[in-house]
Amino acid sequence: MTGRTILDLEAQTRAVARLAAGVPDARLDDPTPCPEYTVGVLLVHLTGLAVAFRDAARKDPGPTTDTAPDPAATPLPAGWREELPRVLGELAEAWRDPAAWTGMTRAGSVDLPGDIAGAVAVDELVIHGWDLARATGQEYAPDQAALRAAYDFLLAAAEDETRGGGIFGPVVPVPDDAPLLDRAVGLSGRDPAWTPPATP
């Protein structure tokens, strides 16, 4: 994903938007594979990261790029069903500009090269798309180019000893012959077999 490879994020942002549209209001307090996130908090996070990485692509620093994410402290906006697909579309559009993948930019209060920022954005969309789908019982078909890019990014992070073996948490071992999505999920520190806890 590095080396200024340009990836069209349109298909993956649409996949995430479809998942969000399928979330009933009654599921917003449900748990997700991220222990600290409910479905509602995950939707806040997706909205915030779409805005932050949109502005990172535009090289437009400010509050959206200078603040580390804290979705648990931010209420889910009443108009999130309209806002999230809109900002996801803007995210995809911003990363179509080849200039987004060059030079330096900033996201989550961290300065990083444009191509790395793009890789992080793709990874976030792929893995959090899985989180949302698994938490709400929806089918998930990530864009295959985005999935491959996310897997490569996560694998490189897991193999980088300075990162401590993963960027989301300890890697969960997954068989080498498992589907690519399962292997990416494992590299992200999640158990591909995760299911919501049974309700009493």
Side-chain angles (χ1 to χ4, degrees):
M1 191 63 197
T2 57
R4 298 182 179 176
T5 298
I6 297 175
L7 178 67
D8 191 342
L9 277 60
E10 178 72 20
Q12 183 58 31
T13 55
R14 285 185 178 274
V16 174
R18 283 194 296 270
L19 291 169
V23 176
D25 289 343
R27 304 293 296 270
L28 293 176
D29 292 329
D30 285 5
T32 75
C34 301
E36 68 275 23
Y37 286 4
T38 63
V39 169
V41 172
L42 179 57
L43 291 165
V44 171
H45 181 58
L46 282 164
T47 303
L49 76 86
V51 171
F53 282 96
R54 174 200 68 191
D55 293 346
R58 294 172 176 174
K59 308 295 198 295
D60 184 15
T64 61
T65 62
D66 292 345
T67 305
D70 187 11
T74 305
L76 185 64
W80 70 269
R81 291 188 183 278
E82 294 74 38
E83 181 180 2
L84 180 54
R86 175 178 61 78
V87 295
L88 284 169
E90 292 170 354
L91 171 70
E93 181 62 30
W95 285 100
R96 285 196 187 96
D97 184 352
W101 301 85
T102 65
M104 294 295 293
T105 190
R106 189 170 177 83
S109 75
V110 178
D111 294 318
L112 66 173
D115 60 336
I116 298 299
V120 173
V122 171
D123 176 62
E124 292 270 347
L125 290 168
V126 169
I127 297 301
H128 287 314
W130 181 84
D131 290 334
L132 187 58
R134 189 55 60 95
T136 56
Q138 299 186 67
E139 294 294 324
Y140 180 42
D143 173 62
Q144 289 300 298
L147 173 58
R148 170 54 66 178
Y151 174 82
D152 290 345
F153 176 75
L154 288 163
L155 182 62
E159 292 176 344
D160 183 350
E161 293 181 359
T162 65
R163 291 180 179 270
I167 60 174
F168 288 106
V171 169
V172 174
V174 176
D176 291 342
D177 60 353
L180 185 60
L181 179 57
D182 286 359
R183 286 182 278 149
V185 167
L187 287 170
S188 78
R190 292 153 169 77
D191 181 356
W194 187 92
T195 56
T199 55

